[in-house]
Amino acid sequence: MAGTNSERELIAEGPAIILVEPQLGENIGMVARAMANFGLGELRLVSPRDGWPSDKARAAASKADHVIDGAVVFATLEEAIADLHFVYATTARQRDNFKPVASPVTAASTLRSRFSAGQKTGILFGREKSGLKNEDVALADEIVTFPVNPAFASLNIAQAVLLMSYEWMKSGMDDVTATPFQEIDQLPATKDEVVGLFEHMEDALDSRGYFRPAHKKARMVDNLRAVLSKRGFSSQEIKVMRGVISSLDRFSRKNPRGSGAPLNEAGEGSDVDDGVES
Amino acid sequence: MAGTNSERELIAEGPAIILVEPQLGENIGMVARAMANFGLGELRLVSPRDGWPSDKARAAASKADHVIDGAVVFATLEEAIADLHFVYATTARQRDNFKPVASPVTAASTLRSRFSAGQKTGILFGREKSGLKNEDVALADEIVTFPVNPAFASLNIAQAVLLMSYEWMKSGMDDVTATPFQEIDQLPATKDEVVGLFEHMEDALDSRGYFRPAHKKARMVDNLRAVLSKRGFSSQEIKVMRGVISSLDRFSRKNPRGSGAPLNEAGEGSDVDDGVES
């Protein structure tokens, strides 16, 4: 599994994911995988249609075996949530009841606060075909719903679990713009290195008669330096660039393609000879 | 599809989703569905292993036909991104290159800014088994990676597309805590209605001798009112509660269960007669 570090401790805490009468084992497996991706571990199944355990669920879980092995089956939703202090119901539809409605961001923040206070929480997900019934929703404290495209609002159950798991993970981060790994650390080049690149490039071009007509040279150098400095090269990148210039400067094509002389910035052909060196 | 409003205009704009050598048609279909859920419409496929079009993809797309029908196949990644101005590569692994690394939140914000400025953008997703190769990543401007559980970091391709599509949708919202529908609007009860509930309840209890011993009555009333007011009833809810009290007050069980007299707040048995009325 790309990017997985199996020496890192598995995170598995936070709200229980409760699937109400799930139909397909494959979906239960995808749910388990999504939970594992974002550090949730507790899966509860209310009366799964095709029974439990399920080989299809295990296969689809892509090695999230700790979630599959820990899953607990209940006969009724009431039993499945009996020990919980606070429960969200996920739904894409306005319900004819008086529950508060939260976004995933708000719900994750609420779940995180309650988790920190030692409360046990859960999130209910409905049947693949028909979602949660009103009597299921009635057992929850609040509703959570997703900011979907109104013309295409039906989320797959594993996708819905993924989004809540992802927001749960983010709710525990000090900075949601943080990334698990960063750009390789490189110091910007010093000005001495940058000027070295300028001069190397300019010398290579000058020796080919690039800066023509002569009275435009100062302006052309300014423009070239603007292009080269805008990018913000690192020291390492300056080395790469100087290697490129050296190669272009010192060697000719072994197998010249085309016979046109190179064009300079002004689109005028160079009259420098391009003889093969080696 | 629960919650889908087919009279609403389909949203289909924003970055192109580019799958590099996807293997299973089912996954391409799940990608199309995830895109449609969050308003993306442009799918590009680089050399899909099992060919295109794909019946399996269409079936898995759950009616996201506009995405499937609009998908375009390219022979190479270079061709697939030729017209784009800015491209992210998704990866779960640190790469040995110098690309900036962004979180999904940051990447979505960047894509939204570039979209608003009229730029064409895209997001690359790798092969199911092996992800993006280094030479694929080299063609992108920046990397985006997900804040996953380090011990279980491998996201299914459709799940990765879903998260980016979801963050894209959120990046266009003024308030990420907004929800597509809200709690049914109800005014809080007026104090007159609340006091009416208090008095109704207290009268029903008093007539049963609930407030014993007499010198504790004032304190018991205070406690009861604290319980009833903490909840913040709406006018409608007050009506429901008063109906409940009336029913308990005026009628007895038609089929009495058990013979114990009811207990009051202090746990002392009431001596009120519980004769059947009807």
Side-chain angles (χ1 to χ4, degrees):
Chain A
M1 283 181 291
T4 289
N5 180 343
S6 53
E7 290 177 9
R8 297 289 292 268
E9 198 182 345
L10 267 178
I11 309 170
E13 60 180 24
I17 297 297
I18 301 144
L19 307 185
V20 180
E21 297 180 5
Q23 296 163 303
L24 297 171
E26 290 86 340
N27 284 331
I28 301 172
M30 298 272 289
V31 162
R33 179 179 181 175
M35 291 171 62
N37 282 143
F38 294 104
L40 293 181
E42 190 175 351
L43 178 60
R44 302 181 180 195
L45 307 172
V46 178
S47 191
R49 186 190 67 185
D50 297 339
W52 193 258
S54 158
D55 290 341
K56 288 180 177 169
R58 188 175 297 276
S62 290
K63 300 202 169 66
D65 291 333
H66 60 292
V67 180
I68 295 291
D69 291 336
V72 180
V73 174
F74 297 85
T76 66
L77 177 54
E78 286 85 345
E79 292 168 79
I81 62 175
D83 61 323
L84 303 182
H85 299 102
F86 188 88
V87 171
Y88 272 109
T90 55
T91 171
R93 285 180 282 142
Q94 173 108 43
R95 302 295 183 134
D96 194 21
N97 62 34
F98 308 148
K99 308 272 182 200
V101 180
S103 72
V105 171
T106 304
S109 159
T110 299
L111 291 166
R112 180 66 63 175
S113 305
R114 290 179 178 273
F115 173 75
S116 301
Q119 297 185 21
K120 296 186 74 173
T121 58
I123 314 172
L124 311 184
F125 296 85
R127 300 148 191 86
E128 286 94 327
K129 284 244 164 111
S130 53
L132 291 171
K133 295 178 183 168
N134 285 332
E135 61 252 42
D136 303 325
V137 175
L139 291 171
D141 294 279
E142 297 191 10
I143 283 171
V144 57
T145 192
F146 301 96
V148 286
N149 183 353
F152 199 87
S154 170
L155 281 174
N156 164 281
I157 185 173
Q159 307 281 51
V161 170
L162 182 85
L163 291 183
M164 281 309 302
S165 305
Y166 167 70
E167 289 292 3
W168 163 259
M169 174 71 100
K170 284 205 302 179
S171 73
M173 295 167 64
D174 292 332
D175 172 12
V176 296
T177 66
T179 51
F181 57 85
Q182 283 74 41
E183 184 170 4
I184 292 169
D185 199 31
Q186 293 185 89
L187 279 177
T190 63
K191 295 310 170 197
D192 184 53
E193 291 170 314
V194 173
V195 171
L197 173 66
F198 290 166
E199 292 178 348
H200 190 166
M201 178 78 92
E202 287 153 19
D203 175 65
L205 294 172
D206 212 11
S207 72
R208 286 165 171 76
Y210 177 90
F211 297 109
R212 289 171 294 121
H215 71 272
K216 285 193 183 166
K217 175 172 176 180
R219 176 68 169 280
M220 291 171 77
V221 166
D222 284 350
N223 288 350
L224 184 64
R225 290 186 172 200
V227 170
L228 291 175
S229 56
K230 187 175 174 192
R231 166 68 178 73
F233 287 113
S234 68
S235 295
Q236 282 177 271
E237 289 170 321
I238 290 273
K239 289 197 188 85
V240 171
M241 287 300 291
R242 294 202 55 170
V244 168
I245 299 166
S246 291
S247 173
L248 292 171
D249 188 28
R250 292 165 50 201
F251 305 106
S252 298
R253 285 182 176 280
K254 292 187 179 173
N255 302 302
R257 284 188 297 187
S259 57
L263 296 183
N264 69 11
E265 185 194 9
E268 300 174 47
S270 165
D271 51 8
V272 170
D273 224 314
D274 201 37
V276 176
E277 273 191 8
S278 61
Chain B
M1 285 181 289
T4 289
N5 181 344
S6 54
E7 291 177 8
R8 297 290 292 269
E9 199 181 343
L10 267 178
I11 308 171
E13 60 180 24
I17 297 297
I18 302 144
L19 307 185
V20 180
E21 298 180 5
Q23 297 164 300
L24 297 171
E26 290 87 339
N27 283 332
I28 301 172
M30 298 272 289
V31 162
R33 178 177 182 177
M35 291 171 61
N37 282 143
F38 294 103
L40 294 181
E42 191 175 350
L43 178 60
R44 303 181 180 195
L45 306 173
V46 178
S47 192
R49 187 190 67 183
D50 298 339
W52 193 259
S54 158
D55 290 341
K56 287 181 178 169
R58 187 174 298 274
S62 289
K63 301 202 168 63
D65 291 333
H66 60 292
V67 180
I68 294 292
D69 292 335
V72 180
V73 174
F74 296 86
T76 66
L77 177 54
E78 286 85 344
E79 292 169 79
I81 63 175
D83 62 322
L84 303 182
H85 299 102
F86 188 88
V87 171
Y88 272 109
T90 54
T91 171
R93 284 180 281 142
Q94 173 108 42
R95 301 296 182 133
D96 193 22
N97 63 32
F98 310 147
K99 307 272 183 201
V101 181
S103 72
V105 172
T106 304
S109 161
T110 299
L111 290 166
R112 181 66 64 176
S113 306
R114 290 178 177 273
F115 174 74
S116 302
Q119 297 184 21
K120 296 187 72 172
T121 58
I123 315 172
L124 311 184
F125 295 85
R127 300 148 190 86
E128 286 94 328
K129 285 242 163 114
S130 53
L132 291 171
K133 295 178 184 168
N134 285 332
E135 62 252 41
D136 303 326
V137 175
L139 290 172
D141 294 279
E142 297 191 10
I143 283 172
V144 56
T145 192
F146 301 97
V148 286
N149 183 352
F152 200 86
S154 169
L155 281 174
N156 164 280
I157 185 172
Q159 306 280 51
V161 170
L162 181 85
L163 291 183
M164 282 309 304
S165 305
Y166 168 69
E167 289 291 4
W168 163 258
M169 174 71 100
K170 284 205 304 178
S171 73
M173 295 167 63
D174 292 332
D175 172 10
V176 296
T177 67
T179 52
F181 57 86
Q182 282 75 43
E183 183 170 5
I184 292 169
D185 199 31
Q186 294 185 89
L187 278 177
T190 63
K191 295 310 171 197
D192 184 53
E193 290 171 315
V194 173
V195 171
L197 173 66
F198 291 166
E199 292 176 347
H200 189 167
M201 177 78 92
E202 288 152 19
D203 175 65
L205 294 172
D206 212 10
S207 72
R208 284 164 172 78
Y210 176 90
F211 297 110
R212 289 171 296 118
H215 70 272
K216 285 194 184 165
K217 175 172 176 179
R219 175 66 169 280
M220 289 172 78
V221 166
D222 284 350
N223 287 349
L224 184 63
R225 291 186 170 199
V227 170
L228 290 174
S229 56
K230 186 174 172 192
R231 167 65 179 75
F233 288 112
S234 68
S235 295
Q236 283 177 271
E237 290 170 320
I238 291 272
K239 289 196 188 87
V240 171
M241 288 300 291
R242 294 202 55 168
V244 167
I245 298 166
S246 291
S247 172
L248 292 171
D249 187 26
R250 292 164 51 200
F251 305 106
S252 298
R253 285 182 177 280
K254 293 185 178 175
N255 302 302
R257 284 187 298 185
S259 58
L263 297 183
N264 71 10
E265 185 194 9
E268 299 173 49
S270 163
D271 51 10
V272 170
D273 224 314
D274 200 37
V276 175
E277 271 190 10
S278 62

